[in-house]
Structures are given as C-alpha cells and as structure tokens.
Amino acid sequence: MQAITESPSQAGSAAIEASFSIEPMSPTIGAEIGDIDLTRPLDDGQYGALRAALLKHKLLVFRDQDISAAQQVALARRFGELEVHPVFPHHPEHPELVMLGGDSKIPGRENVYHSDVSWRARPSMGSMLRCIECPKVGGDTIWVNMAEAYARLPEATRTALDGLIAVHDLLPAFGTRMTPEEREARRAAFPPAMHPVVRTHPETGERVLYVNEAFTTHLANYIEKHEVRFGFDFRLAEMDLLQYLYRQAAAPEYQVRLKWRPNTIAFWDNRSTQHYAIQDYFPARRSMLRATIIGDVPV
C-alpha cells in the first residue's frame, strides 16, 4: 500500500497523507485509486486526501466497488449537497441518483463534450458515476482537462477572452425530451445562466476554459469587448470564436479515456473538466447511476 502526500495547495490546508494508492492515468488528467473500500464511510483523513487528489488529478477512478445506491448517495454527499436533476429519470428510492444509458431501443445521448449542469446558476462541483452494466466492448468515456486547455491557448486568444460572459441554457439539449408545457415550466424554473468564459477554480486558483458545446449558446457581451464594423462582424465573429473554444475539448493531449467495468466509479471535478460518453455500443445496454454535487457561482 503506497502512502500518498498531497501539497497544502492541493489539500487546501495542511499537507494530508493517505494510505491508498494513486496511479496516474495520463500525463494531463485522471488517476486510478486503489487500496480503498468505498463500502465503508470515509474517515476525515480519507476524505481530505481524496479531495486533494481530486483537485490535483481532476478525475478519480475506483475499480471493483460493489456498493449500493444508498452507499453511493452517502459517499457523494460526503463532498457536498446533492442536486435532483429536473429532466433525467431518477432512481426510484434515491432521487439524488439519475439513471443514464440507453437500451436496445433508445441510444444514449450524452455523446457531446460538456460539463454537467453548467446551465444552473450554481453549476456542479463534481459528479460521481457508477457503472451498473456495460458492454464488453465500447461505451468508454473521455474526460478533458479544461485548465490545461486554457493554459495552452495562444496568449492573444487568452487576452481576447478576458471579461467575456457566456450564456448556458438547459433547453437546447433537453427540450426535445419535454412537452411544450414542460418546456415552459422548465424555462421559468431554469432561465439561462451567465458565467465567465474563463472561470477561476475556487480551490486551486486555476484558470479554466468554461464553455461547452452542449449547453453554451452564445456570448452575452461579445460586442462590448470586441470592435465590429457591421452586424455580421458581431454575429459571425462571435460564432467563430465559440466554435474555436468548443474544439479545444477535442484535443487528445488534454484527455484521458476510461474503459468501464461493472462496479467502476468515476468521480470528477466539473469545475475544471468536460467529458464525452462515447455512443459506439448501441443496441447493447449501458446502465449508470450518477450523483451530482452542487457547486458555487463561477467567477
């Protein structure tokens, strides 16, 4: 069993030691955590060390964790208050768990780069996804380090993003799942949210590119920040910039790819990552349960 020590900046306080193993999954993002039993409640030392590891690696993967739905809810709640998703189907006994994955008739539709619930005024701090059933081949998920994506933008582009505000909206992605009456009710409950194009991570201080092609619809103040000659300069230049920013998530250099097995748990930081659930397994079945931890207002 390997003892791991995280630095104070990663832990948020004094250095933390934990007796579980950490094996990096790529040079940029992700670590597999071993020698830990998640059927047991986390003690304070384990909690602190896992949170420090999450801040450093942004994605933590746990294998062979045969936990119940109630245990998954309790584990995720250790890291913060949990949301109840307004659209996805819920576990019948635990509304904090959404049920994800298609079946032999309906394919999954999470195959777009996104950060969970960025359309909320207070988007997610993190998500904890547990594999119940998956195909032997296919159905992998990709995660992307969006702090690295921002850091490696050309300096002129980073300067051009200063002060820009992006609009994130629930309806473009989820509206087709609703009746007109449901869309009207969801619009009243969840108006579009405005977040900085580049947010500052509240725990690490990292600058993070925070737009995604699933939920970011446009820039609220592009014309205030950039000189334009005509109306088409404003609209087309704004669209070109957004398309360029969306594409950053697709760079393999910022990514890690996870092959699922039953009882695998992935825990990731939605403030600094995006992810993409690959839809290459239909009509095979993939069944997942996700708990989502409420975060803070991006700044």
Side-chain angles (χ1 to χ4, degrees):
M1 188 176 295
Q2 177 185 0
I4 303 298
T5 301
E6 301 292 357
S7 72
S9 62
Q10 294 157 355
S13 59
I16 293 175
E17 293 188 1
S19 56
F20 52 72
S21 63
I22 301 179
E23 185 67 31
M25 298 169 63
S26 83
T28 309
I29 181 173
E32 191 160 324
I33 307 300
D35 302 314
I36 190 169
D37 181 1
L38 296 182
T39 64
R40 300 179 179 181
L42 299 178
D43 61 33
D44 290 346
Q46 289 174 317
Y47 163 77
L50 285 177
R51 193 169 190 112
L54 180 69
L55 296 179
K56 179 178 180 180
H57 298 284
K58 298 176 172 55
L59 164 70
L60 305 181
V61 174
F62 307 82
R63 298 288 193 182
D64 303 319
Q65 300 289 335
D66 188 9
I67 64 175
S68 67
Q71 288 171 324
Q72 181 177 354
V73 169
L75 175 63
R77 187 171 282 137
R78 189 73 165 86
F79 292 86
E81 180 186 359
L82 304 184
E83 71 159 34
V84 175
H85 199 282
V87 180
F88 280 133
H90 305 147
H91 186 281
E93 298 176 6
H94 301 281
E96 304 92 342
L97 296 178
V98 298
M99 300 187 297
L100 298 174
D103 54 30
S104 61
K105 297 180 180 179
I106 302 175
R109 290 190 289 179
E110 296 80 38
N111 54 336
V112 59
Y113 287 107
H114 65 285
S115 176
D116 288 335
V117 300
S118 69
W119 42 264
R120 289 188 181 271
R122 288 178 59 197
S124 165
M125 167 269 185
S127 295
M128 190 173 289
L129 184 65
R130 179 166 62 100
C131 179
I132 309 300
E133 178 185 358
C134 58
K136 291 184 178 180
V137 177
D140 298 353
T141 300
I142 293 169
W143 279 269
V144 191
N145 181 340
M146 297 309 296
E148 185 73 7
Y150 172 75
R152 293 177 62 174
L153 285 173
E155 183 177 357
T157 303
R158 295 199 304 270
T159 299
L161 300 182
D162 286 346
L164 285 180
I165 302 296
V167 179
H168 299 245
D169 196 346
L170 163 77
L171 284 185
F174 289 108
T176 57
R177 306 171 189 239
M178 306 174 192
T179 66
E181 294 76 19
E182 288 172 334
R183 285 196 291 272
E184 184 176 353
R186 294 300 190 279
R187 168 55 72 232
F190 302 101
M194 292 191 290
H195 303 309
V197 167
V198 181
R199 69 176 295 180
T200 300
H201 195 288
E203 296 184 73
T204 67
E206 290 176 299
R207 301 280 281 162
V208 180
L209 182 59
Y210 196 67
V211 298
N212 67 85
E213 61 182 337
F215 302 126
T216 305
T217 58
H218 62 285
L219 301 175
N221 63 339
Y222 181 86
I223 199 169
E224 299 171 14
K225 298 292 182 178
H226 294 271
E227 183 178 352
V228 297
R229 303 166 303 159
F230 313 112
F232 62 78
D233 272 356
F234 156 50
R235 181 55 63 196
L236 295 181
E238 176 193 3
M239 292 171 61
D240 286 346
L241 177 58
L242 269 180
Q243 290 295 327
Y244 175 76
L245 298 179
Y246 294 155
R247 288 197 298 272
Q248 302 310 304
E253 287 80 0
Y254 312 146
Q255 296 180 350
V256 69
R257 180 166 172 159
L258 174 65
K259 178 173 176 56
W260 292 98
R261 301 196 301 260
N263 295 326
T264 295
I265 295 173
F267 179 28
W268 65 93
D269 189 333
N270 272 307
R271 300 164 296 185
S272 56
T273 69
Q274 291 186 34
H275 57 284
Y276 183 112
I278 300 172
Q279 179 49 252
D280 59 355
Y281 56 92
F282 184 78
R285 178 178 173 82
R286 196 183 81 153
S287 176
M288 315 290 245
L289 288 176
R290 189 189 81 195
T292 305
I293 302 155
I294 298 172
D296 54 355
V297 177
V299 294

